[in-house]
Amino acid sequence: MKSYLISFGNSKKYRLDIQDDNSSTICDLKKSVADYISANFPAVADKNFYESMIVKQIPENQSRDYDGYPVFSAESLHEIEGVLSCEIHDMEDVAILNRNAPYDDK
């Protein structure tokens, strides 16, 4: 079994344990988040930061050091989507606030 730390954007980190050497689980997670973003936020779908998955393999001899991290589950995916939604809304709000209204052509 291999263990990984994964996160998206500024979400918290989760421990993902995979039984086999197949990385399709990680690819499926990335696709799931990318699909969520493009379905709900098409204006930012091309911004890689929000769907970029940070993956760090945990060395077997250090696995006990990472026991405190939450284990990734289906509920974790919803938490990640919630964090990314907040980040995207914040980014859009900051873009509006940064406009120079008298000279804004939008």
Side-chain angles (χ1 to χ4, degrees):
M1 177 171 59
K2 290 188 177 184
S3 297
Y4 301 88
L5 279 185
I6 61 168
S7 65
F8 288 88
N10 291 323
S11 72
K12 65 181 171 181
K13 295 178 180 174
Y14 296 91
R15 193 178 79 237
L16 176 66
D17 299 321
I18 300 177
Q19 295 296 334
D20 56 10
D21 287 338
N22 189 351
S23 64
S24 66
T25 303
I26 292 174
C27 294
D28 291 345
L29 289 173
K30 182 175 176 160
K31 182 178 180 340
S32 184
V33 170
D35 290 347
Y36 171 80
I37 289 173
S38 53
N40 294 292
F41 304 99
V44 297
D46 62 339
K47 296 188 180 352
N48 292 4
F49 173 75
Y50 297 107
E51 62 188 56
S52 294
M53 182 181 212
I54 300 167
V55 180
K56 176 186 175 191
Q57 186 172 357
I58 300 171
E60 286 185 36
N61 62 346
Q62 296 177 359
S63 63
R64 296 191 72 162
D65 296 340
Y66 294 87
D67 285 345
Y69 285 89
V71 176
F72 185 85
S73 65
E75 184 178 306
S76 305
L77 186 58
H78 295 296
E79 290 175 8
I80 290 171
E81 290 170 350
V83 168
L84 293 178
S85 294
C86 288
E87 287 181 16
I88 291 169
H89 286 300
D90 287 349
M91 183 212 45
E92 292 171 338
D93 290 345
V94 167
I96 290 169
L97 289 172
N98 285 340
R99 289 186 184 152
N100 191 351
Y103 303 103
D104 190 14
D105 57 354
K106 291 185 180 187

